[in-house]
Amino acid sequence: MTGAPLHERGVAELAHGLAQREFSSVELTRHLLGRLEAAQPALNAMVSITGESALAAAASADGARAAGRSGPLTGVPLVHKDIFCTEGVRTTCGSRMLDNFVSPYDATVVARLKAAGTVMLGKANMDEFAMGSSNETSFYGPVRNPWNPAMVPGGSSGGSAAAVAARLAPAATATDTGGSIRQPAALTGVTGLKPTYGRVSRYGMIAFASSLDQAGVIARSAEDCALLLAAMAGFDPRDSTSVDQPVPDYAAALATPCAGLRLGIVREFFDQGLDAENERQLRAAFAVYEKLGATLVDVSLPNVGLSVPTYYVVAPAECSSNLARFDGVRFGYRCAKPKDLLDLYQRSRGEGFGAEVKRRIMTGTYVLSAGYYDAYYLKAQRVRQLISADFARAFADVDLLVGPTSPTPAFELGAKTTDPVTMYLNDIYTIGANLAGVPALSIPCGFVNALPVGLQLIGPHFSEAKLLAAAHAFQRETDWHHRAPAERH
Amino acid sequence: MTLKRTDIENVSRLARLALREDEVAGYVETLGNILDMVGQLERADTAGIEPMAHPLAGLSQRLRADEVTETDRHALYQQNAPQVEAGLYIVPKVIE
């Protein structure tokens, strides 16, 4: 690929070019900053573009390389979802509540990627507090899909996905509580990995639903995701649910062939409102795996159909608790002229949070309130156990599960904003992995009406290496992940 | 599920959220729809099933030694506060 414009190259190719001194990190960073600025009016992918600090970090990376102190990601630019705290840089979480919040510290993910020599270009737009499936709940306005600006990019990591899809950045950090990495990756034609719960630290990642939230990555290919995950993953004493397990060599594992792999097609994912054209693309993708020597078998997850109702008890309950910290006192938005302390709390929260965040806080407050706790919250925790057991049973028989990432390709802005339940059903295939805590990824596998379609692979706990290898094998056989949208700026 | 305005007003009071008049009507409808959808959980047989609080079974809460590991950074943290005086967070008077 030597000679290709810098923005057309992925993480691995850029790392190679930097190592070969084909170009400097400063040149690369300047090029991508220009693209981010130029695309902003059309796509609104970013909340902040941090040009000055990016160029300083790039110069420092070039200096480190010249001094012989470079690693595999030294000088590689990326964007961080604006849910990750970044020291000295505004961190909004897509909310008016944090419009003026400058983080005093770095999230562990940010600190690790910084220590690996990556260069932060800016902070990506997102649904407010990661609550949304279309990136329409952001206080900073919707992100648009680079494949068709009338369409949503998916959410909540819509800015991360759009920036990677439009070739504004080779990679982006993202988070996934119910599908927020995989669904936007599917809708914009890029690769998105949600690791196992506890694999990547949640420290400094603004909490939404703590038993479901997981940090991950969006890039163009599984290979690029593997390089970034290696730098992000690992035990962190600052996250009480971080898991102390060694991080495998994901890049080395990519070459593992698919021959002999048993892939389970989730039966229930094909009789729940899946778009027929979407299904056709998926069946073609399954055929690619058969050609690669994998065996496809029919698998049932009998309780997975209850994922969405389970999630919409558990996630709002945890959200109502986590978001109680926003009180207008210590940081964040405060209302004007509070008449007493209660008024300060109520109006700061009422004015600082957007409609969807308030809806989830109230849903959570309702299901946790006296007299309803057993009927809703405990019931949902029991069903979560059933769903999790379905996955465990399936993985006793197959290596990975395969199916759709989302029921349809990207939909129009405004199409699903009036009825929240319609919006929630977008995540019907992705939520199960969060409830069970298992890793999953989405890779591009075709197009319907000139919009990308995603294939989801789900694995057992800590099977990221296997997932990435299976995705990489598919991407060596296909070129969907190389397709880029037309330039619109 | 049919919710009443008083239900929404009660929940918003518990959640410390001031709502505008027009917001209350919207939440009466949308929260009702969400609770209807959530009602599907009733059809699952969960007799004898333990509630699941953590996605990784068998992991217990990690403890650390009870030692001070953080330094005092209140001046830095208070740069984000809406109102601070003499190192204290200022709120409306609580006690007359």
Side-chain angles (χ1 to χ4, degrees):
Chain A
M1 282 288 264
T2 301
L6 297 181
H7 60 268
E8 289 179 9
R9 309 190 203 186
V11 173
E13 293 159 286
L14 291 172
H16 181 74
L18 287 163
Q20 298 299 309
R21 311 283 215 277
E22 189 196 327
F23 46 86
S24 70
S25 179
V26 168
E27 288 171 287
L28 171 59
T29 297
R30 191 165 282 137
H31 177 70
L32 293 176
L33 285 170
R35 289 183 60 81
L36 280 164
E37 294 284 359
Q40 189 58 16
L43 298 179
N44 196 29
M46 306 299 289
V47 174
S48 308
I49 299 172
T50 53
E52 206 172 308
S53 63
L55 288 168
S60 152
D62 286 336
R65 187 175 302 283
R69 289 179 283 106
S70 57
L73 293 176
T74 300
V76 172
L78 47 72
V79 299
H80 287 305
K81 184 178 181 179
D82 209 14
I83 198 169
F84 290 101
C85 284
T86 43
E87 187 177 349
V89 175
R90 190 166 75 125
T91 300
T92 69
C93 219
S95 181
R96 181 185 196 190
M97 182 59 86
L98 290 173
D99 185 47
N100 60 2
F101 180 71
V102 176
S103 176
Y105 70 103
D106 275 335
T108 296
V109 161
V110 171
R112 287 190 181 200
L113 286 168
K114 203 184 260 184
T118 64
V119 172
M120 178 180 80
L121 301 169
K123 307 290 295 286
N125 201 347
M126 55 181 283
D127 276 301
E128 184 179 7
F129 283 99
M131 298 173 198
S133 306
S134 65
N135 218 119
E136 290 170 290
T137 73
S138 171
F139 176 61
Y140 302 96
V143 175
R144 292 176 181 269
N145 193 314
W147 292 93
N148 179 344
M151 304 289 174
V152 303
S156 66
S157 310
S160 297
V164 174
R167 276 47 179 167
L168 312 179
T173 55
T175 61
D176 192 314
T177 304
S180 282
I181 290 176
R182 292 161 284 157
Q183 186 254 16
L187 269 44
T188 60
V190 296
T191 302
L193 168 69
K194 178 202 94 74
T196 306
Y197 181 83
R199 177 74 290 184
V200 176
S201 171
R202 292 184 297 113
Y203 179 76
M205 181 179 123
I206 296 168
F208 159 16
S210 302
S211 79
L212 302 161
D213 295 344
Q214 177 58 208
V217 60
I218 290 177
R220 289 184 216 150
S221 66
E223 181 185 16
D224 290 356
C225 287
L227 293 171
L228 284 151
L229 181 64
M232 294 164 68
F235 177 63
D236 179 10
R238 288 174 146 161
D239 172 359
S240 66
T241 57
S242 170
V243 175
D244 195 357
Q245 268 203 27
V247 178
D249 187 340
Y250 297 118
L254 287 173
T256 314
C258 282
L261 216 53
R262 281 174 69 79
L263 302 180
I265 299 175
V266 183
R267 189 188 308 159
E268 288 78 8
F269 286 179
F270 289 84
D271 47 49
Q272 289 186 8
L274 177 64
D275 176 89
E277 277 302 303
N278 231 347
E279 176 168 351
R280 220 164 50 82
Q281 304 294 321
L282 289 165
R283 301 279 177 197
F286 298 159
V288 172
Y289 276 111
E290 276 190 314
K291 189 180 137 205
L292 288 167
T295 306
L296 290 159
V297 296
D298 181 60
V299 163
S300 173
L301 302 175
N303 296 289
V304 81
L306 290 171
S307 294
V308 174
T310 302
Y311 180 86
Y312 279 97
V313 173
V314 173
E318 295 184 13
C319 136
S320 71
S321 168
N322 272 323
L323 271 58
R325 75 192 55 176
F326 298 99
D327 58 3
V329 175
R330 291 158 303 149
F331 52 86
Y333 178 83
R334 175 182 284 196
C335 66
K337 299 194 175 62
K339 69 178 190 328
D340 55 30
L341 189 57
L342 184 64
D343 183 48
L344 182 153
Y345 290 151
Q346 292 186 330
R347 281 201 294 124
S348 296
R349 290 165 59 77
E351 295 166 17
F353 291 134
E356 180 60 23
V357 171
K358 285 188 273 194
R359 182 160 26 246
R360 303 233 189 157
I361 291 174
M362 287 198 291
T363 306
T365 304
Y366 184 89
V367 299
L368 291 175
S369 60
Y372 296 112
Y373 180 85
D374 286 8
Y376 288 109
Y377 190 68
L378 268 189
K379 180 74 181 182
Q381 296 273 56
R382 292 184 209 277
V383 178
R384 183 176 182 180
Q385 190 80 265
L386 293 176
I387 293 167
S388 183
D390 281 358
F391 279 96
R393 210 175 303 114
F395 290 128
D397 180 43
V398 299
D399 294 291
L400 303 173
L401 295 170
V402 292
T405 306
S406 79
T408 64
F411 45 93
E412 285 180 17
L413 271 90
K416 300 187 181 185
T417 43
T418 40
D419 177 16
V421 173
T422 312
M423 185 69 86
Y424 297 171
L425 291 173
N426 275 300
D427 296 332
I428 194 162
Y429 309 127
T430 48
I431 283 174
N434 300 83
L435 293 171
V438 296
L441 56 74
S442 179
I443 50 177
C445 73
F447 287 82
V448 171
N449 298 329
L451 291 166
V453 172
L455 165 70
Q456 185 179 205
L457 304 177
I458 309 173
H461 292 124
F462 300 102
S463 64
E464 287 82 0
K466 195 182 267 189
L467 278 171
L468 288 164
H472 182 63
F474 183 83
Q475 292 183 333
R476 289 178 59 156
E477 288 296 310
T478 60
D479 71 347
W480 305 115
H481 62 297
H482 289 310
R483 308 280 181 97
E487 296 276 314
R488 291 178 195 281
H489 48 269
Chain B
M1 175 182 282
T2 312
L3 291 176
K4 297 187 288 290
R5 289 186 67 89
T6 50
D7 294 319
I8 295 300
E9 284 159 2
N10 183 39
V11 171
S12 66
R13 187 180 50 77
L14 290 171
R16 300 288 185 266
L17 287 170
L19 299 181
R20 297 185 314 269
E21 270 305 301
D22 60 308
E23 288 181 293
V24 176
Y27 288 131
V28 166
E29 189 190 332
T30 56
L31 248 69
N33 292 345
I34 292 167
L35 293 171
D36 279 341
M37 182 267 284
V38 159
Q40 293 170 41
L41 291 175
E42 284 167 23
R43 72 171 197 243
D45 179 5
T46 54
I49 304 294
E50 279 296 305
M52 177 173 159
H54 191 287
L56 299 176
L59 281 189
S60 54
Q61 191 69 46
R62 199 171 57 244
L63 299 175
R64 64 165 175 82
D66 186 16
E67 288 162 0
V68 177
T69 55
E70 300 286 334
T71 52
D72 179 6
R73 301 174 75 198
H74 82 269
L76 174 67
Y77 295 161
Q78 287 188 332
Q79 285 174 14
N80 275 304
Q83 206 184 345
V84 169
E85 227 174 273
L88 302 171
Y89 295 97
I90 304 301
V91 297
K93 195 188 271 183
V94 179
I95 302 164
E96 291 300 331

